[in-house]
Amino acid sequence: MEDDVDMEDGVEEKDTYAWEKEYQRTWEMLGDASAEEDFMMEKRQEFERKLQKRLRLQEQLSRPVRKGLRRHMFLVMDGSQSVLLEDVKPNRLGLMRSASKRFVEEFFDQNPISQLGVIVTTNGVAHKLSDLTPNAEKNCKAIDAPTVAGQPSLQNALEVARTTLNLVPRHGSREVLVLWASLSSKDPGDVLQTIESVARDRIRVSVVGLGAEVHVLRRLVTETGGKYHVALDEDHYSEIMGLHVPPPPANKFRVEAALVPMGFPEHKSGERRRLCVCHKQVTTRGYFCPRCNAKCCELPTECLTCGLTLISSPHLARSYHHLFSVPNFKRLELTGSSTAGDEGDKARAAAPPTFCSGCLEPLDPSNTIPFQCPSCQNIFCLDCDAFIHETLHNCPHCELD
């Protein structure tokens, strides 16, 4: 009996050994806590990034400047071996192409009567992949076309863009956006003389760089009145590209004011087959020029027969939001204090708002900041405020009232 008791005691003592206990993954518990902290940090960084972007937009809206409706821009892409570096995901070339496609779509969405072309510089030369056109699809296909080889040439790229931009009318802005990834440029001559010629022709050049800042590019944007940004990561690169979507101030570059003749063609379908002037194809539907009765397939465009600018009324209406922008919304505090000056706004802010008037989501003071429309007094969250000022370009409640 004593032996049995000793055996039972031994079993009980043996069960208390750590290596005999249930298998526990303690490192996974630490990993889950770390992942949650990283997630919260990413959310906070995203919120700070949105807030800083909104504050920059608010500063721009607070300074009334003259902006043009018609823009003529060339997108110059670096096609050298430097774009194959993998310091960003998936590499510099992949980031440049994806960001450029989003830029083209947003550019024509906010500037529907403007034109854009694509130039690539590789092996010391520059090739124009697409001429100035209001067609976003053609430009997106041109962005995927170039091959990577050799070194870029800034001088040749500027000369190609300058030759075409000198032919556009003076009432539209002339712009070049350079996407640069190399630290050098293989130029056949004096690039500084080309920079002086570009500045003399009133061409605004901006640069978005990957890597380090280059002195010749800084001098280029300084003399032409552009902007120079170097991206820190993938999100920053896309954010920088978005800064060039709205039109720049027009008064600094002395854009000439002029009356621009435009035509609003009628869309017809089901009639007899006719040849379109844009694709040289026989179709049964299209837009007919009100001046020469030539047929084109899409809008906006310029009639290849008489040169008349052909647009639709929605295109013209969407272009006017740059001239009559949405006023800045007042920033409120969920604690009950308001930045508004009059007593009515303070009385409204005394009772903290609970829901956003746009998305109807609850306003959490830990991850959002409310903004109040000065006209209809409705409250919006940070995301809806950015959507109204950057995409919608009008307050929905003001339109309903």
Side-chain angles (χ1 to χ4, degrees):
M1 296 292 294
E2 293 180 357
D3 294 336
D4 294 337
V5 172
D6 292 337
M7 290 178 62
E8 292 178 358
D9 294 340
V11 171
E12 292 180 358
E13 185 178 0
K14 187 176 180 181
D15 290 340
T16 61
Y17 292 153
W19 56 83
E20 294 292 340
K21 291 183 178 180
E22 184 179 356
Y23 188 60
Q24 296 181 356
R25 301 174 179 266
T26 55
W27 59 88
E28 288 188 354
M29 295 169 34
L30 294 176
D32 293 340
S34 178
E36 184 176 357
E37 293 178 359
D38 293 342
F39 176 75
M40 296 301 297
M41 184 178 296
E42 291 178 359
K43 295 289 290 183
R44 186 62 184 176
Q45 291 176 353
E46 182 181 0
F47 173 74
E48 292 293 338
R49 190 183 301 111
K50 290 181 179 179
L51 180 60
Q52 293 299 325
K53 183 179 180 180
R54 178 66 189 93
L55 294 178
R56 287 195 299 268
L57 179 62
Q58 185 175 5
E59 183 181 359
Q60 295 176 1
L61 294 176
S62 61
R63 297 175 300 183
V65 294
R66 175 189 171 191
K67 295 183 177 181
L69 292 180
R70 301 197 67 184
R71 304 172 63 186
H72 305 89
M73 174 184 285
F74 268 113
L75 189 66
V76 177
M77 300 181 61
D78 186 350
S80 64
Q81 293 287 341
S82 301
V83 299
L84 298 179
L85 295 178
E86 298 181 355
D87 50 353
V88 292
K89 299 295 183 181
N91 55 21
R92 293 185 177 183
L93 179 61
L95 175 62
M96 191 181 301
R97 286 179 174 175
S98 59
S100 299
K101 291 180 180 179
R102 289 194 299 268
F103 170 78
V104 169
E105 294 175 356
E106 295 177 2
F107 178 85
F108 286 111
D109 180 67
Q110 297 196 25
N111 308 273
I113 61 176
S114 300
Q115 295 181 342
L116 187 139
V118 179
I119 297 175
V120 63
T121 170
T122 178
N123 267 336
V125 295
H127 303 281
K128 185 164 58 175
L129 300 181
S130 65
D131 209 339
L132 292 176
T133 176
N135 193 323
E137 184 179 356
K138 291 182 180 179
N139 289 306
C140 289
K141 290 181 179 180
I143 291 174
D144 290 330
T147 57
V148 176
Q151 296 181 355
S153 176
L154 177 64
Q155 183 181 13
N156 289 331
L158 293 177
E159 289 291 348
V160 173
R162 175 171 165 264
T163 303
T164 305
L165 291 176
N166 280 334
L167 302 177
V168 302
R170 292 285 183 177
H171 58 261
S173 65
R174 305 174 178 184
E175 305 172 50
V176 176
L177 180 59
V178 180
L179 308 182
W180 204 257
S182 179
L183 298 178
S184 61
S185 177
K186 185 179 179 181
D187 300 322
D190 189 358
V191 66
L192 299 181
Q193 293 183 358
T194 303
I195 293 176
E196 294 178 359
S197 301
V198 170
R200 194 184 312 115
D201 293 335
R202 305 176 186 178
I203 300 176
R204 183 179 192 266
V205 183
S206 299
V207 179
V208 179
L210 283 171
E213 182 176 307
V214 183
H215 172 72
V216 68
L217 297 177
R218 170 60 65 181
R219 182 166 178 174
L220 171 64
V221 300
T222 302
E223 295 192 10
T224 59
K227 296 181 179 180
Y228 190 6
H229 296 94
V230 178
L232 302 177
D233 51 25
E234 295 87 347
D235 295 333
H236 190 215
Y237 191 86
S238 300
E239 182 180 347
I240 292 173
M241 293 284 289
L243 297 178
H244 300 279
V245 173
N251 54 354
K252 186 174 181 180
F253 307 100
R254 303 183 299 276
V255 177
E256 298 180 0
L259 296 177
V260 182
M262 293 185 179
F264 298 87
E266 180 182 1
H267 184 267
K268 298 180 180 179
S269 60
E271 295 186 353
R272 59 188 181 89
R273 301 169 63 88
R274 291 184 57 179
L275 185 71
C276 70
V277 296
C278 50
H279 301 96
K280 304 297 186 296
Q281 296 179 356
V282 178
T283 57
T284 58
R285 61 180 60 187
Y287 298 91
F288 291 84
C289 176
R291 176 185 291 176
C292 64
N293 203 30
K295 186 175 71 172
C296 60
C297 297
E298 56 190 9
L299 297 178
T301 185
E302 289 188 3
C303 180
L304 298 180
T305 304
C306 63
L308 181 65
T309 301
L310 304 178
I311 63 172
S312 63
S313 54
H315 291 148
L316 190 60
R318 275 169 32 209
S319 301
Y320 268 91
H321 68 260
H322 296 299
L323 303 181
F324 308 99
S325 57
V326 183
N328 277 324
F329 289 179
K330 301 175 184 178
R331 180 175 175 179
L332 304 180
E333 298 294 339
L334 290 177
T335 56
S337 62
S338 172
T339 57
D342 53 327
E343 297 180 357
D345 293 340
K346 289 183 178 180
R348 179 166 183 119
T354 57
F355 291 93
C356 170
S357 300
C359 61
L360 301 181
E361 290 291 333
L363 296 175
D364 187 1
S366 62
N367 58 10
T368 189
I369 296 178
F371 291 87
Q372 185 179 40
C373 176
S375 300
C376 64
Q377 306 298 319
N378 282 282
I379 309 298
F380 298 91
C381 64
L382 178 61
D383 292 334
C384 290
D385 175 76
F387 177 76
I388 289 174
H389 285 86
E390 298 175 9
T391 305
L392 194 59
H393 302 294
N394 57 63
C395 176
H397 290 276
C398 291
E399 295 294 327
L400 293 176
D401 296 339

